[in-house]
Structure formats: C-alpha cells, structure tokens
Amino acid sequence: MAYDLITMGRIGVDLYPLQTGVPLPQVTSFGKFLGGSATNVAVAAARLGRSTAVITRTGDDPFGTYLHEALRGFGVDDRWVTPVPGLPTPVTFCEVFPPDDFPLYFYRRPKAPDLEIDAHELDLEAIRQTAIFWVTGTGLSEEPSRTATLAALAHRARTGTTVFDLDWRPMFWADPDSARPFYAEALKHTTVAVGNLDEVEVATGVREPRAAAQALLDAGVELAVVKQGPKGVLAVNSRGESAEVPPLPVNVLNGLGAGDAFGGSLCHGLLAGWDLEKIMRHANAAGAIVASRLECSSAMPTPAEIEDAVAAGAVL
C-alpha cells in the first residue's frame, strides 16, 4: 500500500492542564493526549481524509500501549511504531497562559525512544513510494535517529514530495551551530522546507523572511514556507511564485499544536494540487482552529471546519 503521507519523528503523551492561567505547581487536573509533532501531522492529515502512517518508537509500557490505541483511533497506521525495552514513553507537560505563553516541559530522559529509530529497521520502499514523506529537525539531534533520518531521505532521493519540518528545539541540541550541518545535509534531499523565524535562522543563518526563503531555495528545496507569527506565513517556490497570507483572527486558548495542524493541512493541499495561496489560507485556518482548543491531536480540524473558518475570515 502506498500512503498519502508517512511522517517520521517524535511521539509521546501530552499531559495538559485543565486549568488555564495556573502555574504547574498549582495545577490539580490534567488531560492526557497523544502528542509529538510528527505524529500530530499524521493525525491532522488523516482527519482531512488522507491515508497516513508514522515511523517512531515508544517505551514498552502502558503509555506506549495508549499511544498505539490513540493512533488507531485517529486512523493513523501504527505498523512502524515499535517499543524500546528499558526506555520510558516520553511525557510532555505544558502551562497554559493565553494568548501567547505556553511553556513546554519535555520528560525525555535518559533518552526518548523515538531517537532510537534504526536505519536497518526502516521500510525504505514504503518511504520511497509514499506521496509525501515528512521528517523533523529533532530526528537529527541524536543517533541512531540521525543516521536513520538521513538514510531515509537519501533512499527517497527527492521522489514525490519530501518535507523537512525544521522543528528547532534548543533543549535537544548543544547550540545552533551543532545543528546547522545536519540541517544542511537534510535540505539536500528535501523538496519542501517549513519553519518559523527561529528555525529558518538555524537552518540558513538568515532571519529576514524573504531572504531566509531564498536561502532555503538556494539549498535545493522547491518550496520554502516561513511562518512569521503575527505577520502570517510566507511561501515562495522555485518557479518564482509567492504567497503571503495573514493569520486568521482567533481567541487563542493553547497555541501548541497549531503548527502541526498547519503541516497536516499543507500536505493535504499539496496532494490536492491547490495553488500556493489556497494552500496557505487553509493551512493557516487549520492552525488557528487548533490554537482555539486545549489539546493537539484530538483538536485537529475537519475539512468542513477549515472551510468555514476560511469563509468567515476568522475562527468563530
């Protein structure tokens, strides 16, 4: 079976406070959700009707069992989600201070199982055959995941659409300079690069949005997507086309997961063959919808919800 989308990267359990504006020491109740950016992108695309699978690893523990159940519930193929004996499934806590402060606390020690993805265990033909293959910067942060990610990209050899989510998480690296060579290597095999201003600066050394987009194109990608926060999103492709779309007005509850909804919708639009501006408008709307909700994976919007938000020009 050839999938519409295979993602490769983080998975874990999100434990999010059910009280907003309350510091973690005072929080008394939490909700438990499937999490991890690459996994959330697969969930988001599945919610839009796409066939998706994720390559990742969990602990051999009850939280790992929960993640398998959650993936199946969302319609994401979990055949390449395997346990790592001796390592716990990661847990992530956050604090929720709307509209723009959502500190994250990753519990991924002594090592996250998703960084134990091994190149020798990859189904390289499935990776080559999928319409879109999605990898993340976090997957490059440690071995053996780094070698596995680069091996998958090299085998795919830019077949179809290959997306590199720059996904810069400073807590996973010594410093930006240590990440940049591996980002550069991944970009050689990538057709689409997606990142916010911090992430494109890590990848290219350039922060100004149009200059950063051009630097990504010069590195070999065919489409550069630069998220500019309150200024919206800029997309530039190798044919000289560009689209700059403002964000949709929304009452933000929790901004975490909005980027993953954006990613799932981006993949959906690319698969549908939409023009650049339509892709960006729908992806922006998907992200805004999730920002209006507490959770990430279970908050991913349906096609009708995205269409309603685009038509209204806001998340109502």
Side-chain angles (χ1 to χ4, degrees), residues 220-235:
V221 307
E222 297 169 9
L223 173 62
V225 180
V226 182
K227 301 173 188 175
Q228 307 174 84
K231 294 183 68 176
V233 62
L234 169 69

Side-chain angles (χ1 to χ4, degrees), residues 126-254:
I127 288 169
R128 188 174 179 86
Q129 291 170 15
T130 185
I132 299 180
F133 182 52
W134 179 288
V135 300
T136 74
T138 296
L140 300 172
S141 64
E142 289 192 43
E143 293 289 5
S145 173
R146 176 185 299 151
T147 293
T149 300
L150 294 174
L153 289 172
H155 184 83
R156 185 165 168 81
R158 296 167 63 90
T159 302
T161 299
T162 304
V163 183
F164 182 19
D165 175 6
L166 302 178
D167 184 41
W168 166 248
R169 304 284 179 170
M171 67 285 294
F172 300 156
W173 296 87
D175 53 57
D177 288 340
S178 64
R180 196 163 286 132
F182 301 111
Y183 275 53
E185 181 62 28
L187 285 169
K188 294 177 184 177
H189 306 286
T190 298
T191 62
V192 180
V194 182
N196 61 30
L197 294 177
D198 290 337
E199 291 165 340
V200 297
E201 185 176 18
V202 169
T204 67
V206 180
R207 189 173 183 86
E208 195 281 321
R210 287 197 174 271
Q214 187 59 54
L216 291 168
L217 294 173
D218 291 343
V221 307
E222 297 169 9
L223 173 62
V225 180
V226 182
K227 301 173 188 175
Q228 307 174 84
K231 294 183 68 176
V233 62
L234 169 69
V236 183
N237 67 25
S238 57
R239 298 190 298 275
E241 300 168 335
S242 68
E244 191 161 12
V245 176
L248 261 65
V250 58
N251 291 321
V252 175
L253 175 60
N254 183 358

Side-chain angles (χ1 to χ4, degrees), residues 62-93:
F63 274 150
T65 302
Y66 160 71
L67 295 176
H68 278 278
E69 292 173 353
L71 285 167
R72 293 171 193 150
F74 289 126
V76 177
D77 196 324
D78 65 343
R79 70 181 63 193
W80 297 304
V81 182
T82 58
V84 180
L87 290 179
T89 298
V91 175
T92 302
F93 289 87

